[in-house]
Amino acid sequence: MSDELLELRRALMERKRALEREARERESLERQTPIGQTLTEETIVLKSTQETDKSAQEIDKRKLCHYCHSQSKYTCPTCYVRSCSLECIKKHKPYCTVKKPKYKPMSQITKDDLSEDFKWLNHIHENVKPLERQKKRKPGLLKAASQLGIRLHLMPIGFTKQQQNKSRILKNEIEFTCEIRAVTETKWIQVKTSERLPLEGFVYLDTPGGRQMIDPTRTLGELLMNQTIVEFPTFYQF
């Protein structure tokens, strides 16, 4: 990673030198221009185009694969090293492990330590993003469930259970997606908190603490009160 920082710094220095060179060439061109005559728009555009082409070439170099210098297709989410193929990704993986850095006094910190700190903080940031999305999901549904005494938890976007959840608020109650697992099949139905489950026999509610036997003659709202539910309730029928 220290090599990547040095490479980035080198690219920035090259860009700075290119800008300084552009300024010097412009001043030289202005000095060569006869008195009373100004630079034409065509000359300025030509110089600008040439420098833009040079800048584009520098940018293209930074987009090359770090290992074989081919056109890159992938970027490492941890250290942003570019690669072009699975073979190059495999070469990079052993050098891109994310571990919590050990404590060191400031006097002993090196560039490699700073690189490890950066990778660790970036790793934490990427793992916090799903939690931020979770807080933004269906705040009205979470509030309505809390008012009914139901401890509802929503999973981050992209999980299968999150995609299956079609629960919604209808006036003063919730219409929950309910997963029904029977011996021969599994199905999903929509049931309001004021309604009863269309189930008979031995019915169990799946909770984080294990399965609990319930009375199917009670309403869904009564069954879920003081219970912890992840996305939607799951019932087992035997």
Side-chain angles (χ1 to χ4, degrees):
M1 180 62 184
S2 58
D3 293 338
E4 302 303 319
L5 292 174
L6 291 174
E7 184 178 344
L8 178 59
R9 182 180 179 184
R10 192 180 301 111
L12 291 174
M13 293 298 295
E14 290 176 357
R15 177 57 180 160
K16 181 180 178 181
R17 287 194 291 268
L19 292 174
E20 292 174 348
R21 185 167 56 252
E22 178 185 352
R24 288 195 300 269
E25 290 175 356
R26 184 178 180 85
E27 291 176 357
S28 175
L29 190 59
E30 289 176 348
R31 286 196 298 269
Q32 295 174 8
T33 304
I35 298 176
Q37 181 180 351
T38 59
L39 291 175
T40 64
E41 183 178 352
E42 290 78 11
T43 305
I44 296 175
V45 171
L46 178 61
K47 294 294 295 180
S48 176
T49 303
Q50 292 174 348
E51 293 301 329
T52 301
D53 292 341
K54 291 180 181 179
S55 300
Q57 291 176 0
E58 292 176 1
I59 294 174
D60 288 341
K61 288 181 181 179
R62 295 196 294 270
K63 290 184 178 181
L64 297 179
C65 174
H66 179 72
Y67 296 94
C68 66
H69 304 292
S70 301
Q71 189 66 31
S72 63
K73 297 180 181 179
Y74 314 103
T75 303
C76 176
T78 301
C79 62
Y80 303 104
V81 167
R82 294 182 179 272
S83 54
C84 65
S85 63
L86 181 60
E87 182 179 355
C88 291
I89 291 175
K90 288 181 177 179
K91 290 180 182 178
H92 174 64
K93 271 193 174 183
Y95 304 97
C96 193
T97 55
V98 181
K99 297 180 181 178
K100 186 177 180 180
K102 295 181 179 180
Y103 171 77
K104 282 187 177 182
M106 287 294 294
S107 58
Q108 299 179 10
I109 292 180
T110 64
K111 289 183 178 180
D112 291 337
D113 295 325
L114 292 176
S115 173
E116 291 298 321
D117 289 343
F118 172 77
K119 289 195 290 186
W120 173 252
L121 292 174
N122 187 66
H123 175 70
I124 295 298
H125 177 68
E126 292 299 322
N127 282 274
V128 167
K129 282 183 179 179
L131 297 179
E132 294 176 346
R133 292 196 296 266
Q134 177 180 347
K135 293 179 181 179
K136 297 177 183 178
R137 284 193 58 225
K138 301 183 178 180
L141 182 63
L142 292 171
K143 182 178 180 180
S146 178
Q147 291 174 348
L148 294 174
I150 303 170
R151 294 186 291 271
L152 177 63
H153 297 277
L154 300 179
M155 302 179 73
I157 295 174
F159 281 71
T160 301
K161 202 166 185 179
Q162 174 266 322
Q163 296 173 350
Q164 294 170 339
N165 189 6
K166 306 300 180 184
S167 302
R168 57 178 181 166
I169 301 175
L170 294 177
K171 295 184 179 180
N172 297 324
E173 60 180 342
I174 301 175
E175 184 183 70
F176 271 109
T177 296
C178 296
E179 182 181 15
I180 310 299
R181 295 191 176 185
V183 177
T184 58
E185 64 174 351
T186 299
K187 61 181 180 180
W188 289 264
I189 60 175
Q190 298 295 119
V191 183
K192 298 178 182 177
T193 49
S194 60
E195 297 176 341
R196 296 177 180 178
L197 289 168
L199 302 176
E200 296 179 353
F202 296 100
V203 181
Y204 295 82
L205 171 64
D206 188 24
T207 69
R211 298 177 187 176
Q212 297 182 9
M213 191 172 184
I214 62 169
D215 180 4
T217 62
R218 300 174 65 186
T219 65
L220 180 62
E222 294 172 341
L223 295 175
L224 298 182
M225 185 177 294
N226 299 323
Q227 297 289 351
T228 299
I229 303 299
V230 179
E231 286 292 337
F232 51 80
T234 298
F235 296 94
Y236 291 84
Q237 183 183 24
F238 299 98

